[in-house]
Amino acid sequence: MRHLRAANSTITRANARALVDEWISIQGSWHSIAWRPEIVSRRLMSWLSQATLILDDADLRFYPAIVAQLDAASPLLARHRE
């Protein structure tokens, strides 16, 4: 994501959204590796730190999909905090 943000163009924002949207479509429900707490936390940190890249110019259906992922990850991360 940070490489796409460095380019900062309409195309790179669309590519970032496409990557996140594809992940949600393919892995967003459940996958044993994708939902390990250390992986989830890194993914969410990446998404949140690059939120302007991902969410600028996004259509309205994309916001609830991101929020649903954050909502799904919160209990998992809360159970595994140290």
Side-chain angles (χ1 to χ4, degrees), residues 45-78:
M45 285 189 297
S46 175
W47 288 4
L48 292 172
S49 66
Q50 303 301 330
T52 56
L53 172 74
I54 297 168
L55 297 174
D56 280 358
D57 306 325
D59 61 40
L60 293 178
R61 71 149 193 92
F62 195 66
Y63 286 90
I66 294 288
V67 170
Q69 290 298 306
L70 295 171
D71 189 47
S74 296
L76 174 83
L77 295 177

Side-chain angles (χ1 to χ4, degrees), residues 1-9 12-13 16 19 46 50 53:
M1 290 293 161
R2 64 178 184 232
H3 297 94
L4 293 172
R5 176 126 186 211
N8 196 22
S9 70
T12 58
R13 286 190 296 276
L19 288 170
S46 175
Q50 303 301 330
L53 172 74

